[in-house]
Amino acid sequence: MGEVPGEYCPGRYSVNAAGRRKLAGLGQRVVASGSHVGAVIVAEGAEPIRTALVPVYEALAIDWDPATVGALEDEPGAPAEGAWEAQRDALADEYARSY
C-alpha cells in the first residue's frame, strides 16, 4: 500500500508490487449524505495502459515513469492465464466472508 515514486494518478492508497509498480488505485469521496470508495485493479495488459498514458502525461507536462504501470499477471506467482478471473473470484470470496 502506498504511492510508488513516479506513478500515474498518484495516491497514498495505491496498491503496489514491492514498491515498484502500481497494481490498483483506490479513491474515496465523502459528502454530507454519504461516502464512496472505489478501486481500479489492473489484472492484465499493463503495456496498453503505458502506451495510452504516454501522450496524456506529455500533454499535461506531468512527470511520471511508465515503468510504474503494473498488472497482476506480471507478478511472480500470478496465474499464467485468467488473472482477471482469479482476482475477481478472490475479491468476491473476501467480500462474502466479510459481509
Side-chain angles (χ1 to χ4, degrees):
M1 188 69 97
E3 188 175 326
V4 174
E7 76 179 16
Y8 66 99
C9 195
R12 66 180 180 191
Y13 298 110
S14 294
V15 177
N16 68 67
R20 295 186 317 270
R21 288 175 300 281
K22 181 174 185 169
L23 301 177
L26 281 73
Q28 58 279 331
R29 293 291 178 262
V30 178
V31 296
S33 60
S35 64
H36 169 79
V37 175
V40 174
I41 302 168
V42 181
E44 302 170 332
E47 188 56 38
I49 295 170
R50 285 185 203 104
T51 301
L53 289 177
V54 167
V56 172
Y57 275 78
E58 285 177 356
L60 294 171
I62 297 174
D63 289 331
W64 76 287
D65 180 0
T68 64
V69 178
L72 293 172
E73 71 178 346
D74 299 327
E75 296 307 311
E81 293 183 23
W84 159 241
E85 291 83 359
Q87 185 61 33
R88 177 201 59 209
D89 294 347
L91 284 170
D93 290 346
E94 184 60 32
Y95 279 120
R97 278 192 298 279
S98 298
Y99 304 102

